[in-house]
Amino acid sequence: MEGATTNGLRPLGLKGPRADIVRELKAAGGLAAREISCQLRLSANAVRHHLKELEAAGFVGHDREHRGGGVGAPTYVYRLTSDGEALFPSRYEDAVSRLLDHVVEKEGRAAAVEVLEARYRELADELRPILVDASPAERWATVTRTLSDEGYMPEVHATTLGTHLLVEHNCPIKQVAQRFPEVCEAEARFLAEVLEAHVTREAHISSGCGACEYQVGPVPLAGPGTGPSFTDKKTRELQ
C-alpha cells in the first residue's frame, strides 16, 4: 500500500515524457530537474529539453530555491502555471455549474446542495456490494480506482501510526466546491463510509492547499458516535 497511486488521469493534449513530467509536477507541487530525472528514469538532458519546451508553451514556470536545509547553491524548481493546471480534466465542471445555477434559481441553494450530495450517495451505493467481502487491501484498491476514475489523482501512503494518508492531487470540481463547500463534506462522509474508517481532513485544495489530504484510521470500538465518521482538522483545532 505504501505509495500506492492510480495513474489514469493524464494532462489533456500531452503525451509521452512531457505528459509524465506535467503529471509529476501536478502531484509534487514543485520539483527540480534532477528529481524529475530520477522519478521518471530519464536523462538529465532529456528532462531539461522537455522542461524548456513546456515553459515555452506556458505550462511550466520555475523559481530558484535553496533545498536541503538551505545548504549549497540554489536550484531551479519547476511548477505548473495556471495554464498547466488547466490541462487536467475538470469532469464537466462548466456544465455542472450551469446546472446548479438553474437549480438554485428554480428551487434554491439547498436543492443544489442535495444534487451534489446525491452523487456521493450513488457512488457509495455502487461500491457497497463490491466491498461487502473485500479485504482491506481490496477495499483501498477499489476506492482509489473509483477516485481516479472521477479525476482526483489519489495516492495512498501507510503511516507509522497504523493509519493511512489519502492524498488527492486534483480536484475535478474545484470551482463548484468553492461555491458549494458542502460537497467537500459529502465527499469526506463518502470516504468514511466506503473505507469503514474515521477520516480526518488535514489539507484542503479549496483552502489554498496543493492537495486534499485525509488521515484514515480505525473506527473507535466503543463510545458515542461509534461508526465511520469524518472530522476536519481546522474545525477540530478551533474547538
Side-chain angles (χ1 to χ4, degrees):
M1 182 65 64
E2 177 66 28
T5 184
T6 48
N7 297 308
L9 191 63
R10 308 295 294 178
L12 297 173
L14 295 178
K15 58 184 179 180
R18 292 178 194 175
D20 294 334
I21 289 171
V22 167
R23 194 180 189 285
E24 290 295 326
L25 292 176
K26 173 68 173 174
L31 291 169
R34 57 181 172 77
E35 293 171 323
I36 298 171
S37 177
C38 290
Q39 291 184 23
L40 296 180
R41 298 183 180 180
L42 295 172
S43 71
N45 285 338
V47 168
R48 284 193 290 268
H49 169 72
H50 290 306
L51 286 170
K52 182 178 179 180
E53 294 298 318
L54 288 167
E55 280 198 282
F59 298 138
V60 170
H62 71 267
D63 297 297
R64 289 175 65 86
E65 295 182 6
H66 283 283
R67 292 207 158 187
V71 178
T75 187
Y76 288 114
V77 176
Y78 295 86
R79 293 183 174 84
L80 296 183
T81 63
S82 57
D83 285 344
E85 292 283 352
L87 293 171
F88 289 86
S90 58
R91 298 294 290 184
Y92 319 112
E93 188 168 35
D94 289 342
V96 172
S97 292
R98 289 194 295 271
L99 170 63
L100 293 174
D101 287 339
H102 177 76
V103 173
V104 169
E105 180 182 352
K106 297 296 183 181
E107 302 182 46
R109 178 185 173 84
V113 171
E114 171 59 24
V115 169
L116 294 168
E117 292 180 338
R119 173 55 181 158
Y120 287 103
R121 291 197 296 270
E122 290 172 0
L123 278 177
D125 289 343
E126 291 171 8
L127 293 182
R128 195 170 290 114
I130 300 172
L131 298 175
V132 64
D133 293 319
S135 68
E138 291 169 337
R139 183 176 295 274
W140 271 110
T142 299
V143 173
T144 53
R145 184 167 56 248
T146 298
L147 292 173
S148 181
D149 290 344
E150 291 293 308
Y152 286 92
M153 287 183 67
E155 187 174 6
V156 181
H157 300 274
T159 74
T160 57
L161 300 176
T163 61
H164 291 86
L165 178 66
L166 170 63
V167 183
E168 295 175 344
H169 293 289
N170 187 56
C171 180
I173 54 170
K174 181 178 179 180
Q175 294 179 18
V176 171
Q178 289 172 338
R179 293 177 57 200
F180 298 92
E182 296 92 340
V183 70
C184 299
E185 313 304 311
E187 181 204 357
R189 291 193 297 270
F190 159 77
L191 292 173
E193 178 180 352
V194 296
L195 292 171
E196 293 188 344
H198 177 73
V199 173
T200 301
R201 185 168 58 210
E202 302 281 341
H204 196 198
I205 290 175
S206 289
S207 298
C209 300
C212 287
E213 297 183 2
Y214 298 93
Q215 283 287 348
V216 181
V219 174
L221 295 179
T226 296
S229 57
F230 158 69
T231 58
D232 184 274
K233 181 179 180 181
K234 183 176 180 180
T235 302
R236 185 184 62 197
E237 290 174 346
L238 293 175
Q239 293 176 344

